[in-house]
């Protein structure tokens, strides 16, 4: 018996869930109606509306229905740069105020990471970056390491091949980057050191988990002189950044 209480919104959601479980082969109108438990006429009207927005597509003139490309595109959509800066700025201010250490919002741009915003701490240290717009090859900075960790293994290795000359220039061993990638995948953050402009720099970096695209391909880093951060201070910074 057809359901009488299902609203149009509920019906559309149930159709999308059914098609999501069907895979690439999709489902016929009759199969969808049986799965959802509604009349074929009501299901057809809902499919027509969903198809109009690209959420559902039909293979051939009278073929099975399946999820449309708009579903994937919507799921992968990332906020604009201005939105990201506005979203993260209060966090950067709080992090720097709580730690006294400079914080940076980084985003991926091809084979590099670029600085979108920052807050300077009590002892400004910027040997790695030149402020907003400053760029680093992925893997040179730890924000880039986090961004690489969010990719599939083949893509990571390809980026490392492309950026290999930069690693030589910065005296960074590829195996060090691989170990840092594993640290992120295991713990959700990276703590490490880099040498730049005669300084040894300590960094702590957090980024969204792999597959979480709500905040784009971003990462937030703390950056300080290595000898100015004790182990206890590093733990306190990690706790604050996680919050």
């Amino acid at each position: 018996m057809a359901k009488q209480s299902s609203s149009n919104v509920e019906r559309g959601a149930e159709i999308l869930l059914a098609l999501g479980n069907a895979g690439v082969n999709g489902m016929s109108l009759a199969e969808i109606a049986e799965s959802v438990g509604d009349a074929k006429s009501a299901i057809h009207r809902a499919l027509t509306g969903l198809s109009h927005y690209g959420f559902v597509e039909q293979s051939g003139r009278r073929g099975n229905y399946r999820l449309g490309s708009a579903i994937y595109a919507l799921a992968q959509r990332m906020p604009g740069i201005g939105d990201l800066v506005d979203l993260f700025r209060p966090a950067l201010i709080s992090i720097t105020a709580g730690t006294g250490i400079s914080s940076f919002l980084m985003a991926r741009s091809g084979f590099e990471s670029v600085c979108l915003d920052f807050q300077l701490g009590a002892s400004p240290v910027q040997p790695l970056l030149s402020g907003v717009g400053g760029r680093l090859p992925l893997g040179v900075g730890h924000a880039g390491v986090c961004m690489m960790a969010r990719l599939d293994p083949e893509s990571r290795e390809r980026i490392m091949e492309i950026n290999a000359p930069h690693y030589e220039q910065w005296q960074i061993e590829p195996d060090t980057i691989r170990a840092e990638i594993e640290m992120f995948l295991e713990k959700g953050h990276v703590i490490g050191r880099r040498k730049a402009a005669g300084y040894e720099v300590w960094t702590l970096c957090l980024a969204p988990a792999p597959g979480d695209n709500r905040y784009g391909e971003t990462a937030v880093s703390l950056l300080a002189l290595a000898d100015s951060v004790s182990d206890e201070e590093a733990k306190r910074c990690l706790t604050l950044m996680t919050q």
Side-chain angles (χ1 to χ4, degrees):
M1 179 181 295
K3 292 188 297 184
Q4 301 299 322
S5 61
S6 177
S7 70
N8 291 335
V9 173
E10 291 172 334
R11 183 181 295 114
E14 291 170 348
I15 290 172
L16 293 176
L17 289 172
L19 292 178
N21 292 327
V24 294
N25 292 326
M27 302 172 71
S28 67
L29 175 60
E31 289 172 333
I32 298 172
E34 181 179 356
S35 175
V36 174
D38 212 337
K40 288 196 293 184
S41 58
I43 295 296
H44 186 265
R45 288 195 298 270
L47 286 168
T48 299
L50 291 169
S51 299
H52 179 73
Y53 290 97
F55 296 137
V56 169
E57 62 185 22
Q58 193 174 14
S59 57
R61 187 173 181 180
R62 294 189 177 182
N64 284 358
Y65 293 89
R66 59 194 178 197
L67 292 180
S69 57
I71 290 287
Y72 178 81
L74 187 62
Q76 298 299 317
R77 184 177 180 182
M78 297 181 183
I81 291 177
D83 295 331
L84 288 172
V85 171
D86 291 342
L87 176 66
F88 278 97
R89 181 165 290 163
L92 295 184
I93 293 173
S94 296
I95 291 168
T96 295
T99 64
I101 299 175
S102 299
S103 59
F104 298 82
L105 171 62
M106 307 293 294
R108 182 184 169 198
S109 177
F111 306 127
E112 299 178 307
S113 61
V114 58
C115 180
L116 300 184
D117 196 15
F118 67 96
Q119 295 291 323
L120 290 181
S123 300
V125 179
Q126 290 180 271
L128 290 177
L129 291 166
S130 56
V132 174
R135 293 173 174 267
L136 286 174
L138 293 179
V140 170
H142 289 96
V145 171
C146 293
M147 294 169 194
M148 291 169 64
R150 288 166 40 86
L151 303 174
D152 61 272
E154 292 77 11
S155 296
R156 292 178 214 149
E157 289 298 320
R158 182 60 184 135
I159 290 174
M160 291 183 68
E161 291 176 9
I162 293 170
N163 284 343
H166 299 294
Y167 302 154
E168 293 180 10
Q169 179 183 352
W170 288 78
Q171 298 180 333
I172 303 170
E173 293 294 330
D175 284 344
T176 298
I177 298 173
R178 293 188 180 97
E180 292 167 344
I181 287 173
E182 291 303 317
M183 181 190 302
F184 176 81
L185 293 176
E186 178 182 350
K187 300 181 178 180
H189 68 269
V190 173
I191 296 179
R193 299 189 177 200
R194 294 288 189 262
K195 292 182 179 179
Y199 296 94
E200 186 169 19
V201 180
W202 172 91
T203 61
L204 165 62
C205 188
L206 275 72
D212 183 353
N213 295 317
R214 292 173 296 170
Y215 312 107
E217 295 186 85
T218 56
V220 174
S221 296
L222 285 182
L223 191 150
L225 292 175
D227 58 6
S228 67
V229 182
S230 65
D231 290 342
E232 286 301 315
E233 181 66 11
K235 291 179 182 178
R236 191 177 74 84
C237 290
L238 177 58
T239 298
L240 180 60
M241 287 186 70
T242 301
Q243 293 171 349

